[in-house]
């Protein structure tokens, strides 16, 4: 697998170092180098899509954290910075890794290998849906976790992340994914959206009480905009 990558950094020496690391890594292809995020935003739109972006945080104009929110979900971010205090913020924008300058090649390579792993998993997941996949991988607290589909009760969408509620588990799995992204990863034969903030596994629906699906002590609302699709499913399985 080869990854297209780009570098955004307003420090020429830091940019040249990352460039040298990219050039000595056979599965990376450098698509562009930019001294600021505004330039990158304009130029990257005209070029081949970037898989992996090495992004400085403290830059004039648009900083790296702001810029990371503007790129596609399919572009993975590795922050490269001299400041450790942004580590928590990098997690909130779902960065793949966070490298502190001066960056060694070993640290760089570990981050790149995470990216390779992520893209391979995504490809495997996409391919396996046709074969009725039995699990998915999600990123949670800088870890990739395997989630068996059979254990998912429902998925709850919050402002910046989702909660995956699992059968037999007291705590949900938290991940910085959008509900739209999660819905696209799940087979509609198995899962159904019942609310802007909820996706449920069809086979886990045991009780519906006054317009709400009941999971143990939790009551999940069914919104009007999704009610008909759920009713169609229930009609197919009612006697």
């Amino acid at each position: 697998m080869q990854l297209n990558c780009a570098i955004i950094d307003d420090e020429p020496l830091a940019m040249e170092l990352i460039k040298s690391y990219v050039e000595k890594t056979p599965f990376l292809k450098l698509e562009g180098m930019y001294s600021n995020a505004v330039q990158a935003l304009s130029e990257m739109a005209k070029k081949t899509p970037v898989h992996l972006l090495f992004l400085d945080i403290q830059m004039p104009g648009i900083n790296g954290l702001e810029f990371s929110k503007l790129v596609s979900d399919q572009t993975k971010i590795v922050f490269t910075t001299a400041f450790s205090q942004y580590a928590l913020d990098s997690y909130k924008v779902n960065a793949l890794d966070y490298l502190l300058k001066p960056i060694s090649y070993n640290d760089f390579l570990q981050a790149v290998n995470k990216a390779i792993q992520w893209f391979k998993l995504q490809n495997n997941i996409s391919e396996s849906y046709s074969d009725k996949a039995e699990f998915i991988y999600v990123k949670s607290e800088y870890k990739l976790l395997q989630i068996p589909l059979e254990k998912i009760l429902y998925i709850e969408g919050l402002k910046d992340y989702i909660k995956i509620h699992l059968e037999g588990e007291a705590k949900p799995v938290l991940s910085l994914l959008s509900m739209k992204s999660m819905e696209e990863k799940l087979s509609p034969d198995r899962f159904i959206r019942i609310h802007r903030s909820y996706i449920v596994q069809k086979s886990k629906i045991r009780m519906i009480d006054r317009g709400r699906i009941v999971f143990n002590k939790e009551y999940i609302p069914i919104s009007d905009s999704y009610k008909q699709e759920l009713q169609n499913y229930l009609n197919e399985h009612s006697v």
Side-chain angles (χ1 to χ4, degrees):
M1 174 178 284
Q2 185 177 63
L3 300 183
N4 298 327
C5 64
I7 306 166
I8 307 177
D9 201 312
D10 64 341
E11 299 178 35
L13 291 178
M15 185 185 293
E16 286 299 321
L17 179 64
I18 298 297
K19 177 187 176 185
S20 71
Y21 288 168
V22 170
E23 290 176 342
K24 68 190 289 187
T25 307
F27 50 84
L28 294 182
K29 180 183 178 184
L30 186 60
E31 293 290 343
M33 297 183 6
Y34 312 98
S35 59
N36 63 76
V38 175
Q39 176 196 13
L41 201 59
S42 172
E43 294 297 322
M44 285 175 62
K46 305 173 187 176
K47 295 187 176 182
T48 303
V50 168
H51 299 113
L52 186 59
L53 182 60
F54 298 99
L55 179 61
D56 190 16
I57 292 182
Q58 282 203 341
M59 295 184 293
I62 303 174
N63 67 40
L65 291 169
E66 293 168 339
F67 183 84
S68 68
K69 299 174 184 177
L70 303 176
V71 301
S72 165
D73 289 342
Q74 295 306 307
T75 296
K76 307 314 294 177
I77 305 290
V78 173
F79 282 116
T80 57
T81 179
F83 303 94
S84 61
Q85 66 264 33
Y86 296 113
L88 179 59
D89 292 322
S90 75
Y91 172 72
K92 291 179 179 178
V93 297
N94 207 17
L96 191 69
D97 211 337
Y98 185 93
L99 302 181
L100 281 175
K101 299 175 180 177
I103 299 167
S104 69
Y105 183 62
N106 183 58
D107 289 341
F108 172 88
L109 201 55
Q110 287 183 20
V112 171
N113 283 331
K114 285 184 184 180
I116 287 285
Q117 182 185 34
W118 190 90
F119 281 102
K120 282 184 176 179
L121 287 172
Q122 294 306 303
N123 289 341
N124 289 341
I125 290 168
S126 297
E127 292 169 2
S128 63
Y129 281 132
S130 60
D131 297 325
K132 298 182 179 180
E134 295 303 320
F135 55 84
I136 58 172
Y137 285 95
V138 298
K139 185 179 177 185
S140 180
E141 298 179 352
Y142 289 106
K143 300 174 184 176
L144 278 171
L145 301 180
Q146 186 191 84
I147 307 293
L149 292 180
E150 64 179 12
K151 292 190 66 175
I152 297 176
L153 290 173
Y154 63 96
I155 296 143
E156 179 182 2
L158 301 173
K159 184 179 179 181
D160 297 318
Y161 59 95
I162 62 170
K163 289 182 177 181
I164 304 174
H165 296 263
L166 303 174
E167 200 167 32
E169 300 289 341
K171 293 183 178 180
V173 174
L174 274 64
S175 182
L176 279 164
L177 280 171
S178 68
M179 285 292 279
K180 180 180 179 182
S181 296
M182 190 63 185
E183 187 175 20
E184 289 173 351
K185 299 295 184 185
L186 298 171
S187 168
D189 293 335
R190 191 165 191 169
F191 292 87
I192 186 169
R193 188 87 174 255
I194 62 160
H195 188 277
R196 182 171 59 89
S197 301
Y198 292 98
I199 298 170
V200 303
Q201 181 157 197
K202 295 175 180 179
S203 64
K204 301 297 183 180
I205 300 174
R206 303 284 189 262
M207 181 188 303
I208 298 177
D209 181 16
R210 289 171 287 185
R212 296 174 297 175
I213 296 174
V214 183
F215 290 110
N216 300 318
K217 296 181 180 180
E218 299 296 326
Y219 286 74
I220 311 303
I222 303 166
S223 70
D224 290 341
S225 54
Y226 295 98
K227 186 180 295 184
Q228 189 57 55
E229 185 178 355
L230 176 62
Q231 189 60 54
N232 292 342
Y233 166 74
L234 294 174
N235 289 343
E236 291 174 3
H237 296 81
S238 298
V239 293

